[in-house]
Amino acid sequence: MRLKEYLIDSLMNLTSDGIVIVDVHGAVLEVNKKFEELHGWTRDEVIGTILPMVLEQDKADALQLYQSLINGEPIKNFEAIKLRKDGSTFYASVTVSPVKNNDGLVIGFVGVERDISERKKAEDELLEREKQFRKLLKLNPEPIVLHKDGFIQFVNDACCKLFGGASSDDFKGKSIYEFFCPADKNLIVARLQQVMQTDQDNYSEFFERKMRKFDGTFFDAEISSIYVYKNMGNPVVQSVIRDLTERKKSEEAIIRSEKLSLIGQLAAGIAHDIRNPLTSLKGFVQLLKTRNTDYVDVMMEELEHINYVVNEFMTLAKPHLNYYIESKVLELVQSVIGFLQPHAHLYNVQIQLELDQEIPIISCNPDQIKQVLINVLKNAIESMESGGLIHISFRNSFQQALVISIKDQGIGISEERLTQLGEPFFTTKANGTGLGLMVCKRIIEGHGGKLTILSKINQGTTVEIELPVTSIEK
Ligand code: ADP
Ligand code: MG
């Protein structure tokens, strides 16, 4: 018997948890050394007393727990603030088990307390750091959102304003996907996955997407995400969302102004082209006065040509349509060739179109594609001071893209200049803008395509315009 008592006693005092055994009324029957240590009471002080171990504010909760204990249900790992003899407190994780007699009646309780102050302190510190971190973000001019598992945890003021929220509460508990097009969800999920898997310092490249405001309207945005920290096992991701509306507007303005300057530069050729048929018209009309013959046919032809040139001129000057339609690229190319014929005449340049295969239908903005073709062809014409040939051909690239290749026999571009192309304001022409190729690149990239320039000095230049294909023309 003595041995058993000795063993129980050592067991009580070997554990690193505080143990207290009380009867049904809460009077202490036994405590271990750790309990004495945790609370600052000695065993002799507490035996037979009812200890004031909970704070006033927790009394109601404690009473409820006591009720379930009386009913025989244990309490496991309950986090509570515990009192010490000197009135100070500590955090403990508490497990209380009812002890029953042979008849199943509860006759007492065994309480086990584990000191978790350190952990709590670390948690509080983390929370405090999180608070500071959010404060840092709050007034950041870039719209920022923190999200975990796709759910919004925090938005800063700029983000709230961008999406038209009244306050950050409007975002609470919402999924980030509500702010994207439903079709983009998989893409975003994949991107976030990548961000979370890679190194913490890795952020995703900014990528463009349409996003939705609270009022349901969509706007152009670019988004980049970075993994920030773990919160309860799940990575918190910070995304920066930039509004591209203004940038898009100024890009469009550049495209428009380049178009206008193009038209201005072409005006000379066009005026020339209109003047020529007009001169012959005048002559024939004068002749008609004397004899009534079939010069009228020629007159009609010339008139139609004037009409064509003027019409094309007008379409070019019209504002861009801002949407894509299924377009026949061949027709676009042919109409641009017709339109540039006068300019080509001025330079003594022939334009040759090679047609040896089906040309697919492309979903595009036809006005913009025309603008690109005019830019590129005009450059090609102007590269041949003493005349020459421009060869236009088409190539299917793996059935996925159509490549329009425009090859001239002009002066070519040196290697160092080649690297500068596409930069704004680089021009070698007296009346050039140096915006043409930059605008072409923007337009083609906006279509998901690519513009490539190959050139050899004094041999000529080939410009390849690659556009993704939607369907094959029947
Ligand atoms: P711009 O035609 O107004 O000068 P671009 O951006 O269209 O502006 O072209 C920039 C420069 O690139 C031209 O000034 C010219 O030097 C060079 N370039 C473009 N295309 C060709 C070409 N096909 N052959 C030779 N040089 C070219
Ligand atoms: Mg040009």
Side-chain angles (χ1 to χ4, degrees):
M1 208 54 187
R2 293 207 95 204
L3 179 69
K4 197 172 166 190
E5 263 167 35
Y6 177 73
L7 285 175
I8 290 174
D9 191 55
S10 3
L11 177 74
M12 287 270 281
N13 291 319
L14 270 174
T15 110
S16 56
D17 296 335
I19 298 176
V20 53
I21 303 172
V22 296
D23 67 14
V24 273
H25 307 295
V28 176
L29 299 173
E30 190 58 83
V31 295
N32 70 348
K33 285 216 169 59
K34 186 71 189 180
F35 183 92
E36 292 179 307
E37 228 173 79
L38 282 175
H39 287 272
W41 278 299
T42 62
R43 182 174 174 275
D44 296 340
E45 278 173 327
V46 295
I47 295 284
T49 64
I50 297 176
L51 290 173
M53 281 193 297
V54 289
L55 292 175
E56 206 47 47
Q57 66 206 54
D58 295 337
K59 281 240 161 91
D61 284 347
L63 213 67
Q64 213 171 353
L65 289 172
Y66 178 71
Q67 208 52 53
S68 52
L69 280 173
I70 287 287
N71 295 335
E73 293 162 33
I75 303 165
K76 283 205 174 111
N77 300 324
F78 174 75
E79 286 184 11
I81 299 173
K82 291 277 165 181
L83 267 175
R84 293 202 186 91
K85 183 184 175 187
D86 62 8
S88 62
T89 56
F90 66 95
Y91 276 102
S93 162
V94 181
T95 297
V96 187
S97 315
V99 180
K100 296 175 188 171
N101 66 8
N102 287 341
D103 302 330
L105 249 149
V106 176
I107 50 165
F109 310 102
V110 178
V112 180
E113 296 173 345
R114 177 162 300 173
D115 184 4
I116 54 167
S117 300
E118 284 301 314
R119 199 188 84 203
K120 272 281 176 199
K121 205 171 129 207
E123 274 177 20
D124 286 349
E125 271 171 19
L126 200 72
L127 225 68
E128 184 55 33
R129 235 181 298 151
E130 217 176 294
K131 253 198 222 154
Q132 287 171 352
F133 175 58
R134 287 176 186 201
K135 251 191 224 165
L136 275 178
L137 296 182
K138 186 169 163 61
L139 292 180
N140 192 309
E142 294 236 65
I144 294 170
V145 52
L146 294 180
H147 45 97
K148 189 171 85 173
D149 274 347
F151 287 98
I152 294 175
Q153 298 215 306
F154 169 84
V155 292
N156 70 352
D157 293 0
C159 185
C160 187
K161 189 164 157 228
L162 174 58
F163 285 89
S167 79
S168 57
D169 289 344
D170 288 353
F171 294 83
K172 281 241 167 76
K174 282 208 173 358
S175 154
I176 50 166
Y177 304 112
E178 285 178 38
F179 298 89
F180 287 97
C181 297
D184 284 343
K185 183 168 176 183
N186 287 346
L187 180 100
I188 313 285
V189 169
R191 282 207 157 236
L192 291 181
Q193 209 75 42
Q194 224 178 351
V195 168
M196 288 185 285
Q197 273 163 7
T198 50
D199 194 51
Q200 291 214 11
D201 291 339
N202 239 336
Y203 56 89
S204 67
E205 296 274 313
F206 275 96
F207 70 111
E208 277 187 44
R209 259 355 247 173
K210 289 254 180 234
M211 292 196 80
R212 188 167 51 196
K213 300 191 180 190
F214 276 108
D215 64 7
T217 56
F218 281 90
F219 68 101
D220 287 297
E222 69 175 2
I223 304 114
S224 172
S225 303
I226 186 167
Y227 167 99
V228 204
Y229 57 82
K230 266 209 166 81
N231 175 325
M232 318 265 265
N234 288 320
V236 172
V237 175
Q238 170 188 327
S239 294
V240 174
I241 300 164
R242 288 186 186 149
D243 186 2
L244 291 186
T245 316
E246 285 306 313
R247 198 198 296 175
K248 288 262 164 184
K249 263 194 214 151
S250 59
E251 266 175 26
E252 265 165 32
I254 290 180
I255 292 181
R256 263 199 310 275
S257 69
E258 164 63 9
K259 187 171 72 176
L260 289 177
S261 107
L262 251 185
I263 295 169
Q265 289 171 27
L266 291 172
I270 288 166
H272 177 262
D273 209 44
I274 293 174
R275 226 177 292 129
N276 273 353
L278 277 183
T279 319
S280 52
L281 273 178
K282 263 192 221 154
F284 287 132
V285 171
Q286 263 159 9
L287 276 178
L288 260 186
K289 278 188 196 158
T290 48
R291 347 175 194 158
N292 254 352
T293 56
D294 37 38
Y295 291 134
V296 179
D297 289 344
V298 187
M299 285 174 65
M300 286 316 289
E301 253 175 56
E302 296 280 36
L303 274 173
E304 243 157 60
H305 186 66
I306 294 174
N307 206 22
Y308 174 79
V309 172
V310 173
N311 271 345
E312 279 299 314
F313 203 60
M314 299 318 276
T315 20
L316 189 74
K318 258 194 329 201
H320 279 316
L321 295 170
N322 221 353
Y323 53 88
Y324 284 23
I325 47 174
E326 306 268 297
S327 316
K328 292 185 175 156
V329 174
L330 183 59
E331 285 178 10
L332 296 183
V333 172
Q334 279 168 334
S335 103
V336 168
I337 294 177
F339 179 60
L340 279 175
Q341 216 67 61
H343 201 65
H345 279 320
L346 277 183
Y347 282 78
N348 198 18
V349 166
Q350 304 263 319
I351 303 176
Q352 200 179 56
L353 185 61
E354 184 186 315
L355 277 178
D356 59 353
Q357 58 177 308
E358 278 178 29
I359 299 176
I361 285 182
I362 300 273
S363 167
C364 67
N365 181 330
D367 287 344
Q368 286 192 340
I369 297 297
K370 268 194 199 175
Q371 191 178 339
V372 171
L373 290 167
I374 291 173
N375 267 318
V376 172
L377 269 175
K378 186 169 165 288
N379 282 347
I381 292 169
E382 289 165 359
S383 76
M384 296 183 277
E385 291 277 345
S386 44
L389 193 76
I390 296 175
H391 187 89
I392 305 178
S393 59
F394 298 92
R395 193 173 80 232
N396 270 324
S397 166
F398 305 109
Q399 305 295 324
Q400 305 221 328
L402 173 71
V403 181
I404 310 167
S405 162
I406 297 167
K407 189 173 166 198
D408 65 51
Q409 303 170 328
I411 49 167
I413 308 164
S414 71
E415 237 171 81
E416 68 178 322
R417 284 252 164 96
L418 212 50
T419 56
Q420 286 172 290
L421 287 190
E423 281 174 25
F425 311 118
F426 170 76
T427 182
T428 51
K429 298 168 197 166
N431 64 345
T433 62
L435 285 174
L437 285 174
M438 184 194 77
V439 168
C440 290
K441 269 208 161 121
R442 289 265 168 91
I443 292 178
I444 298 300
E445 280 162 12
H447 279 74
K450 216 167 63 190
L451 187 125
T452 326
I453 303 171
L454 307 161
S455 190
K456 272 232 164 77
I457 208 112
N458 291 329
Q459 289 186 21
T461 304
T462 304
V463 177
E464 294 200 331
I465 300 164
E466 188 179 320
L467 287 165
V469 170
T470 37
S471 59
I472 302 291
E473 194 172 17
K474 293 270 145 40

